[in-house]
Amino acid sequence: MVARGIVRFVNEGERLLAGQRVGLIRFGSRVDVYLPQGVHSFVAIDQRVIGGETVIADLLCDEPERIGRRS
């Protein structure tokens, strides 16, 4: 029942543009993003991100993974 609240805008394997929306969770929830092996994220664990604004990762960048503060 909850899964029906997820709307997917892209298919697996599609190339995406910067800021392109990939989907929507209608009732609000957590989202898991899986990156290819060797790609480091630009966000820290538990950091809030804003769809279409927050850069999660750059597949062509060599920058090391960022470590966020813990409260």
Side-chain angles (χ1 to χ4, degrees):
M1 180 172 180
V2 174
R4 285 186 275 167
I6 298 172
V7 180
R8 182 174 39 121
F9 300 151
V10 296
N11 294 311
E12 186 175 339
E14 278 188 49
R15 288 193 171 266
L16 305 175
L17 301 172
Q20 181 176 343
R21 293 189 178 261
V22 296
L24 169 75
I25 297 180
R26 292 181 193 257
F27 303 109
S29 187
R30 166 186 118 169
V31 174
D32 295 330
V33 177
Y34 294 93
L35 299 172
Q37 189 171 7
V39 173
H40 298 293
S41 69
F42 289 166
V43 295
I45 294 173
D46 294 329
Q47 177 181 339
R48 287 187 177 224
V49 299
I50 300 171
E53 292 184 23
T54 307
V55 177
I56 296 174
D58 182 344
L59 301 180
L60 304 176
C61 182
D62 295 0
E63 183 177 328
E65 190 164 9
R66 297 181 184 182
I67 300 173
R69 294 186 307 208
R70 291 284 182 183
S71 24

